[in-house]
Amino acid sequence: MQKIEIEGGARLKGEVFISGAKNAALPIMAASILASGANRITNTPQLKDISTMGELLSRLGIGFESSGDEVILKTDSISSVEAKYDLVKTMRASVLVLGPLLAKMGKAVISLPGGCAIGARPINLHVMGLQKMGAEISLSEGYVKVSAKRLKGADIHFDVPTVTGTENIMMAAAIADGVTVIENAACEPEVVDLANALISMGAEIQGAGTGVIKIKGVKLLKPLDYKIIPDRIEAGTFMAAAGITRGSLVIRGCNPAHMESVTDKLRQAGLQIEQKDDVLKVKCSGKLNPVDIKTMPYPGFPTDMQAQFMALMAVSEGTSLISEHIFENRFMHVAEMKRMGADIQVEGSTATVRGVRSLNGAPVMATDLRASASLILAGLAAKGKTVVDRVYHLDRGYEKIEKKLKPLGAKIRRIK
Ligand code: EPU
């Protein structure tokens, strides 16, 4: 199993380019099920999750090729409607084929994802929405089977805004009969990117990016030719890296408009941030201030940046409160950070982080994707050597992280 070794203490300096957003690329790849022909997607990050989605789509009969940041998906015919457990268990986003398969083929069989390292993460809202559109649902042997001769537009209200749930319904509704309205829809930029991709295929969608999305079904969609938005979480992680190492980074190819809640909190923490077009210049020379955060659906502070922000607060000069409101078990990194000397107490959904003068390098274990990123950040700031184990979590969501960090001065390497 691969590990990442970091000798902490180097101030990061230089320029880094942000890759395309994983969480936009995955649903947009799934949208290729809806159109016949060759779909082209660019600015796709080169990640394990992207190749897993490619593998899943190829098992459905779709041709998958990738070269650099370009992915080609050839949808000539769909030969299977099943997403099996072996893939779904490695990537929950596999559930994104549910809506498009049902709409296009009239049926889909998807392994239930079950719980994961960050919480129970049910898909009841996805299923409820499809049921409202006329789908019949049955559960057997850990699989959910859905079928419908024709999906019909419906008014769907989500109890909580769900990102992939909104995406599944949007894809199903794009070629259903009539109008679907999603209320309390997720507003994340990745949902908007999927809506824009579907619109470029000929779908009629209004309101993406607000809590109410209206989709008027059309008969046919044309193949995709679409460029993915930049990854706001990767960009936020590099901003935090500049902060925790008291460094100075020029972060290129990002969309600062998607990152305001993060930028605002990092400024309060003492980072100097300038933004212009697709560039963020981030510097931190003085002390880090303690700042409280609460994770919320977009445009609130993203849960996917909570662990990285905690690493920064672990070395701030004071006490901060970090509350997690999206997932019930997203504090797995705390125990690992404590092994590095962090002073953190968790009670319910809130972590009290008392900043320490410095962290000490230690062997630590990555438990999920963003937890892994937070341990890399902690390792960059720590005294001595940190070895992060189980980096396959990191490879699911960060493109060549050590190759991007090394030219910035980080003493980091991948070891077997
Ligand atoms: N929820 C339900 N029922 C459902 C669906 C969701 O109760 O049917 C609850 C969840 O348990 C959670 C909340 O709703 O408490 C929000 O979850 P959501 O459905 O929005 O999460 P997701 O769609 O499964 C996506 C991202 C996650 C990101 C979350 C929140 C993708 C592929 N994944 O997950 O990304 O944390 O939205 O923003 O888009 C990551 O990249 O590291 C990652 C975990």
Side-chain angles (χ1 to χ4, degrees):
M1 214 175 280
Q2 296 189 343
K3 302 178 186 189
I4 284 187
E5 187 186 271
I6 305 163
E7 194 64 46
R11 284 173 192 254
L12 299 192
K13 195 171 184 322
E15 286 193 4
V16 62
F17 283 83
I18 295 307
S19 303
K22 165 182 86 78
N23 289 348
L26 293 171
I28 291 172
M29 287 174 75
S32 68
I33 295 170
L34 295 169
S36 302
N39 298 277
R40 177 172 172 265
I41 308 171
T42 53
N43 202 31
T44 315
Q46 293 170 52
L47 300 171
K48 183 76 180 104
D49 271 11
I50 297 298
S51 51
T52 305
M53 181 57 89
E55 160 82 24
L56 171 57
L57 294 173
S58 49
R59 288 195 199 174
L60 304 179
I62 296 174
F64 166 65
E65 289 161 29
S66 79
S67 155
D69 73 356
E70 183 183 84
V71 162
I72 305 287
L73 292 157
K74 288 189 182 139
T75 314
D76 297 322
S77 64
I78 306 270
S79 52
S80 159
V81 292
E82 193 168 338
K84 288 219 163 81
Y85 182 59
D86 65 323
L87 285 184
V88 179
K89 76 174 183 202
T90 63
M91 186 186 71
R92 299 180 54 82
S94 305
V95 78
L96 283 164
V97 300
L98 175 63
L101 272 180
L102 176 64
K104 176 98 178 266
M105 306 302 291
K107 56 186 173 180
V109 182
I110 313 283
S111 166
L112 281 169
C116 73
I118 62 176
R121 301 183 76 185
I123 58 162
N124 57 312
L125 299 173
H126 305 225
V127 171
M128 174 278 291
L130 296 172
Q131 239 165 347
K132 279 212 150 179
M133 296 176 76
E136 288 187 13
I137 316 273
S138 66
L139 286 180
S140 105
E141 295 168 0
Y143 280 75
V144 54
K145 294 184 180 173
V146 291
S147 61
K149 273 217 173 81
R150 280 295 301 164
L151 285 177
K152 296 186 190 69
D155 288 348
I156 296 166
H157 180 93
F158 286 137
D159 295 343
V160 288
T162 155
V163 173
T164 49
T166 303
E167 291 167 345
N168 249 330
I169 300 299
M170 224 162 48
M171 288 188 276
I175 56 166
D177 290 338
V179 175
T180 299
V181 178
I182 310 175
E183 284 174 14
N184 202 19
C187 303
E188 271 67 3
E190 294 76 18
V191 172
V192 178
D193 208 32
L194 171 65
N196 287 337
L198 291 167
I199 291 167
S200 77
M201 298 165 84
E204 294 189 20
I205 302 176
Q206 288 171 351
T210 74
V212 181
I213 304 180
K214 196 169 162 186
I215 307 122
K216 189 168 166 222
V218 298
K219 287 230 151 53
L220 266 183
L221 291 178
K222 56 178 192 282
L224 276 159
D225 189 354
Y226 196 77
K227 183 176 177 200
I228 303 291
I229 54 166
D231 196 312
R232 64 194 165 103
I233 306 300
E234 188 196 19
T237 304
F238 276 99
M239 291 170 89
I244 206 164
T245 64
R246 306 297 197 276
S248 161
L249 293 181
V250 179
I251 303 173
R252 294 193 181 274
C254 48
N255 186 339
H258 293 163
M259 304 185 54
E260 281 172 9
S261 58
V262 172
T263 309
D264 187 42
K265 288 292 177 182
L266 290 173
R267 280 200 175 114
Q268 288 176 36
L271 275 69
Q272 294 141 267
I273 302 170
E274 282 173 44
Q275 56 189 69
K276 194 166 182 248
D277 304 326
D278 68 346
V279 180
L280 283 165
K281 290 186 181 170
V282 187
K283 209 155 89 177
C284 181
S285 28
K287 60 176 190 151
L288 284 169
N289 308 314
V291 180
D292 298 344
I293 58 159
K294 285 188 177 135
T295 65
M296 289 287 173
Y298 189 84
F301 192 93
T303 174
D304 291 345
M305 273 299 295
Q306 179 256 108
Q308 301 89 314
F309 199 82
M310 190 184 287
L312 203 59
M313 291 300 98
V315 288
S316 73
E317 293 193 11
T319 300
S320 49
L321 298 178
I322 298 194
S323 305
E324 173 57 56
H325 290 283
I326 307 293
F327 294 114
E328 66 277 16
N329 191 26
R330 212 173 195 181
F331 282 139
M332 305 278 277
H333 41 283
V334 169
E336 301 302 306
M337 283 185 196
K338 281 170 106 164
R339 302 190 61 251
M340 300 176 73
D343 181 353
I344 307 170
Q345 255 77 46
V346 176
E347 220 179 292
S349 59
T350 300
T352 304
V353 186
R354 292 185 183 82
V356 295
R357 200 172 271 272
S358 70
L359 296 171
N360 303 310
V364 286
M365 191 83 85
T367 48
D368 72 76
L369 167 55
R370 308 302 168 186
S372 323
S374 74
L375 296 174
I376 299 279
L377 293 177
L380 288 171
K383 278 191 189 146
K385 195 203 291 177
T386 297
V387 179
V388 184
D389 202 347
R390 300 202 179 157
V391 290
Y392 55 84
H393 290 295
L394 198 69
D395 295 336
R396 291 187 47 201
Y398 288 88
E399 187 176 317
K400 307 175 195 130
I401 194 154
E402 74 277 19
K403 292 203 176 126
K404 286 195 183 186
L405 282 169
K406 218 174 184 161
L408 306 176
K411 291 186 185 133
I412 182 167
R413 65 185 185 120
R414 191 175 284 253
I415 52 175
K416 291 260 172 190

